[in-house]
Amino acid sequence: QLVATPELDGAALGPNRIVLLPGIAPSVKDMVEAVRRVGGDRAVDLIQWTPDPKIRALVNTWPQRITASRAESLGFRKDASVDEVVTAF
């Protein structure tokens, strides 16, 4: 989708050129299960579960739910599923 961004009509963007892209909000369990579906148990076995208080503190400041209606009105779409993201990665 970002490849098509230069083709957007400038008038549609208006003076504010910042666009919050739409996304999905999977849980860690959702992500691990997507890795299992796409890569199998061997891929999941590579996950290292190492708690990091600094990362936890940072993540806890993130918003729980975000809307990206402006981006969606410009034609940006969120990924269909965590499986799609894992497969692309």
Side-chain angles (χ1 to χ4, degrees):
Q1 292 183 24
L2 289 178
V3 174
T5 303
E7 298 173 8
L8 286 174
D9 178 15
L13 284 170
N16 182 359
R17 299 300 169 113
I18 298 170
V19 178
L20 175 66
L21 298 178
I24 55 178
S27 68
V28 172
K29 180 180 178 182
D30 295 335
M31 292 184 272
V32 171
E33 289 308 312
V35 168
R36 186 182 315 282
R37 286 188 295 274
V38 174
D41 289 333
R42 288 185 62 198
V44 171
D45 290 342
L46 295 173
I47 298 172
Q48 296 180 16
W49 298 97
T50 309
D52 185 322
K54 290 180 182 178
I55 293 174
R56 179 179 295 271
L58 174 68
V59 171
N60 285 341
T61 67
W62 295 351
Q64 296 296 309
R65 293 282 182 249
I66 302 172
T67 59
S69 54
R70 180 166 184 256
E72 290 169 347
S73 73
L74 292 167
F76 291 99
R77 298 287 172 252
K78 64 182 178 181
D79 294 303
S81 68
V82 184
D83 292 61
E84 180 180 72
V85 174
V86 172
T87 300
F89 182 75

